[in-house]
Amino acid sequence: MRRNLAFSKILDGYRHIAFAAAIVIGAIVVVSMLTLAGWLPGQGAALPVVTLVAGALALMVLAVGQRVVGAQVAAAGKATRDIMASAHRDALTGVATRSYFLETLRNEVYHGSARAVGYLQLDMDNLKVLNDTAGHGAGDAALQHLTATIREIVPGALVGRLGGDEFGIAIFGHDNRPALKRLGEELLRRLEQPTAIAGRPVRLAATIGLALAPQDATDVDELISKADLALYKGKKSGRHVVVPFDADMLGDERYRRFVERELRAALLLDELELHYQPVFDADRRIKSHEALIRWRHKVRGVISPAQFIAIAEESDLIDKVGEWVLRRACLDLPRLGTPVAVNVSPAQLRHADFSVRFAALLAETGADPSCIIVEITETVPLQARGVELANVDALRALGVRIAIDDFGAGHASLQYLRGFSFDIIKIDRTYVSNLGGNRVDAIIVSAICDIARSLPVDVVAEGVETEEQFQLLRQAGCTLYQGFLLGRPRPLAELRVTRAA
C-alpha cells in the first residue's frame, strides 16, 4: 500500500507539470493568434518576442518540474527499499523473517551446490514459563537478547525467526561438525549469563540441533528436518544441549511420527479406554480407584501408556488425551461409586488455563470436585514455576485433592513438601518391592509415614504384591494400599461384575 502511494505521488507530480506546461503553451497560442489578428500592438516584432518569452517560461516550468519529480522519485525509491527491507525483517527481533530466511537458504543449499552450509536450529527453553510469570514483555525482551547474543557469537551468519521461539542460524562455507557444536555450546554458555529482564536477573536457556549441507542434506527442507530431529533428541534428553544430527535418529523419528499419527486416529475412532485399579484401606475396603488409560489398537492390540504418553507429551496430543481421560472418568463416577484419581502430565500443568478448562469440564459433566483426585509426578513440585503452582492451588480451591505420585522415584526432597500443597503421598513401588529385604527402604517408608501423619495427609503404598509387604506397610503406618495383591486394573464392566459378586 505504501509503495502504491509513492508511485501515486510521482504520477501526481507529472500531472501538475503537464497542467502547468499546458497553460504556458495555451498562453503562447492565444497571444500568437491575437497578435496575428491585430488585436495586440506590434504585429510584426511583438510575435517573436512573445513566443520567445513564452517558450522560456515553458522551459522554466519543465526544469522546475523535473527537479520536483526527481526528488519525488528518489523519496519513493527510498520508501520502497525501506518497505522491502522491513518486509524481510522480523518486527520484534530484527532478524530475517521465515520466508526470506528460507528463500535465501534455498539459493545456497541445493543438489550440486559447491558451498557447504552449517545449520543450527535453536529453540528456547521455558519461554512460555517466562511469559506466564513475568508477562509477554519479558518474553519479548528475552527474544531480543537471544538474537543480539547470536549476532555477537556468529556475526556473519544468516539468522531467521522460524516460529515464536524457534530460530534458524545458517553459516555459509562451514562444514566442520565439531567446530559447529562448540559454537553452539558457546552460545548456550553466553545465554546462561544473567541479564536484566523485567527488573530482575534472568538466565536464558535453549536447545540446539545441528546439521550440515551437503553432508547431511542436499536441499533446505531435508536440512531443517534433520536439524529438527537432532533438536528433538536434545529436548528429550533433558534440554540445554547441542546435538548434531546422526543417521540413527531417522528410525526413532519414523516411530514417533507413526505413534503420533495413530494416536490422533485413536482419539477420533474411540480406541482409548480406561481401566480402574482399586485403592484399599487397612481393612481391605475399597476407598477409591485410579483411572489408567489403555489404547486398544485395531492391529497391535492393547498398548500400555508407557509406549505413547511420552510421545503425546511432546505434541499437543497430551492435552487432548488428558481431556479425554478426565471426561471419561467423570462420566464413570456414578457407576464406580468411589472417588477416582486421574494422572495429569507436567506438560498439561504448564498451560496457564489448565485449571479453568478442568473446572469447565467438571461443570459440564456434573462431577463433584471432591470425588476427583489429581495425581502428578513428584518431579513437578521440584521444577514448578508460578504457572504449575497456580494451577494446583486453583484445583484445590475447587475441592479437588492432589496426590504426589511415585514419591521418591526422582530427586525427592523433603524440603519442597513445605511449600507445595497436597493431600496424598503415593510411595513409589520400588521402595515397596524391596521392603522385606532392604532395611534402608523400610526406614524410608516409615519416615514418609511419620511425616504424613504430622502434616496430616494420606499415604498410599503402590505396587503391593505380597501379603508380607501388606503387613509391613500396615506396621509402618500407611493408610491406603494399591497393588496386584488386592486388585488389578480392569475395565469398568468387569469391575462392576467383580463388585456385584
Side-chain angles (χ1 to χ4, degrees):
M1 182 179 294
R2 288 174 58 190
R3 181 164 48 182
N4 291 339
L5 181 62
F7 284 121
S8 175
K9 288 181 178 180
I10 295 173
L11 291 176
D12 286 343
Y14 277 121
R15 280 195 292 269
H16 292 155
I17 294 170
F19 180 69
I23 292 175
V24 173
I25 293 170
I28 294 172
V29 172
V30 170
V31 170
S32 300
M33 291 179 66
L34 290 175
T35 303
L36 290 172
W39 290 89
L40 292 175
Q43 297 180 13
L47 182 60
V49 174
V50 171
T51 303
L52 185 61
V53 171
L57 288 173
L59 289 173
M60 288 177 61
V61 169
L62 291 173
V64 171
Q66 184 181 17
R67 280 178 168 274
V68 171
V69 171
Q72 290 181 338
V73 169
K78 183 178 183 303
T80 301
R81 288 191 297 273
D82 290 343
I83 292 168
M84 295 300 291
S86 64
H88 294 155
R89 283 199 307 268
D90 176 62
L92 175 65
T93 62
V95 302
T97 61
R98 177 185 178 87
S99 58
Y100 182 72
F101 178 81
L102 295 178
E103 179 185 351
T104 306
L105 201 55
R106 283 194 174 92
N107 293 330
E108 295 288 341
V109 181
Y110 54 88
H111 186 71
S113 174
R115 187 154 75 147
V117 176
Y119 179 70
L120 300 169
Q121 184 110 335
L122 181 149
D123 190 83
M124 287 194 71
D125 297 335
N126 301 318
L127 180 65
K128 187 178 186 306
V129 173
L130 183 62
N131 280 330
D132 291 340
T133 56
H136 286 277
D140 291 346
L143 291 173
Q144 290 168 340
H145 177 69
L146 167 69
T147 53
T149 305
I150 293 173
R151 289 193 187 99
E152 291 177 10
I153 301 296
V154 201
L158 173 68
V159 184
R161 188 178 183 187
L162 306 182
D165 58 355
E166 191 170 22
F167 293 81
I169 307 168
I171 307 174
F172 302 118
H174 198 301
D175 62 355
N176 188 320
R177 200 182 302 268
L180 193 63
K181 185 174 186 290
R182 289 194 296 271
L183 194 65
E185 289 169 344
E186 175 60 26
L187 176 57
L188 296 186
R189 280 193 294 271
R190 189 73 65 87
L191 289 174
E192 275 187 323
Q193 297 175 7
T195 183
I197 294 177
R200 61 177 182 177
V202 175
R203 297 176 185 270
L204 302 181
T207 304
I208 298 175
L210 68 88
L212 298 175
Q215 291 97 317
D216 300 323
T218 55
D219 67 71
V220 169
D221 294 334
E222 186 183 7
L223 180 68
I224 292 177
S225 175
K226 289 182 174 178
D228 194 48
L229 273 179
L231 175 64
Y232 163 74
K233 183 174 181 181
K235 284 187 171 293
K236 190 175 180 181
S237 64
R239 304 186 178 218
H240 194 49
V241 291
V242 180
V243 179
F245 168 76
D246 185 281
D248 292 340
M249 296 176 185
L250 291 174
D252 295 338
E253 171 63 8
R254 289 192 186 100
Y255 176 75
R256 184 177 72 89
R257 289 182 178 177
F258 166 76
V259 172
E260 188 175 329
R261 183 177 64 250
E262 293 287 292
L263 186 55
R264 289 186 189 278
L267 286 163
L268 296 174
L269 299 174
D270 198 26
E271 292 180 353
L272 301 179
E273 60 185 44
L274 289 184
H275 288 195
Y276 292 97
Q277 185 173 26
V279 177
F280 297 81
D281 64 11
D283 296 324
R284 305 199 186 204
R285 293 174 299 193
I286 296 177
K287 304 301 291 183
S288 64
H289 288 85
E290 180 181 0
L292 301 168
I293 190 171
R294 298 292 185 268
W295 177 6
R296 193 171 294 279
H297 194 275
K298 57 184 180 294
V299 175
R300 299 164 63 198
V302 178
I303 303 174
S304 76
Q307 295 179 265
F308 63 87
I309 288 298
I311 293 175
E313 286 178 327
E314 291 156 3
S315 69
D316 62 341
L317 280 174
I318 191 60
D319 293 319
K320 294 180 173 62
V321 171
E323 182 180 337
W324 183 92
V325 169
L326 179 60
R327 185 184 302 278
R328 183 70 266 163
C330 288
L331 294 174
D332 288 346
L333 264 176
R335 297 169 66 187
L336 283 169
T338 69
V340 63
V342 295
N343 289 277
V344 170
S345 164
Q348 293 173 265
L349 285 174
R350 293 187 193 111
H351 296 297
D353 63 341
F354 172 76
S355 58
V356 175
R357 290 186 283 110
F358 195 101
L361 202 152
L362 294 184
E364 178 190 333
T365 57
D368 182 356
S370 65
C371 291
I372 302 295
I373 302 167
V374 166
E375 294 191 6
I376 57 179
T377 60
E378 62 123 12
T379 55
V380 172
L382 292 172
Q383 299 171 355
R385 305 295 187 269
V387 178
E388 291 95 326
L389 295 178
N391 276 321
V392 170
D393 289 341
L395 293 178
R396 294 190 82 233
L398 287 173
V400 174
R401 283 179 286 171
I402 303 297
I404 302 178
D405 196 13
D406 301 329
F407 185 85
H411 307 286
S413 169
L414 299 180
Q415 178 67 23
Y416 80 73
L417 297 180
R418 298 170 56 191
F420 182 72
S421 301
F422 61 96
D423 307 281
I424 301 167
I425 293 175
K426 298 191 73 173
I427 301 175
D428 186 65
R429 65 185 64 247
T430 56
Y431 293 104
V432 175
S433 64
N434 297 324
L435 198 58
N438 189 313
R439 183 171 173 270
V440 174
D441 285 349
I443 293 173
I444 291 173
V445 170
S446 296
I448 293 172
C449 293
D450 289 342
I451 293 169
R453 277 194 296 270
S454 66
L455 287 174
V457 297
D458 284 323
V459 178
V460 180
E462 294 185 283
V464 182
E465 297 183 356
T466 67
E467 188 65 33
E468 180 189 14
Q469 290 171 354
F470 180 73
Q471 296 303 329
L472 290 172
L473 289 164
R474 284 188 66 181
Q475 295 172 18
C478 287
T479 52
L480 298 168
Y481 310 85
Q482 182 179 358
F484 287 175
L485 172 70
L486 304 169
R488 292 175 177 268
R490 298 184 184 277
L492 182 62
E494 294 182 21
L495 202 64
R496 288 183 65 205
V497 171
T498 303
R499 292 179 66 204

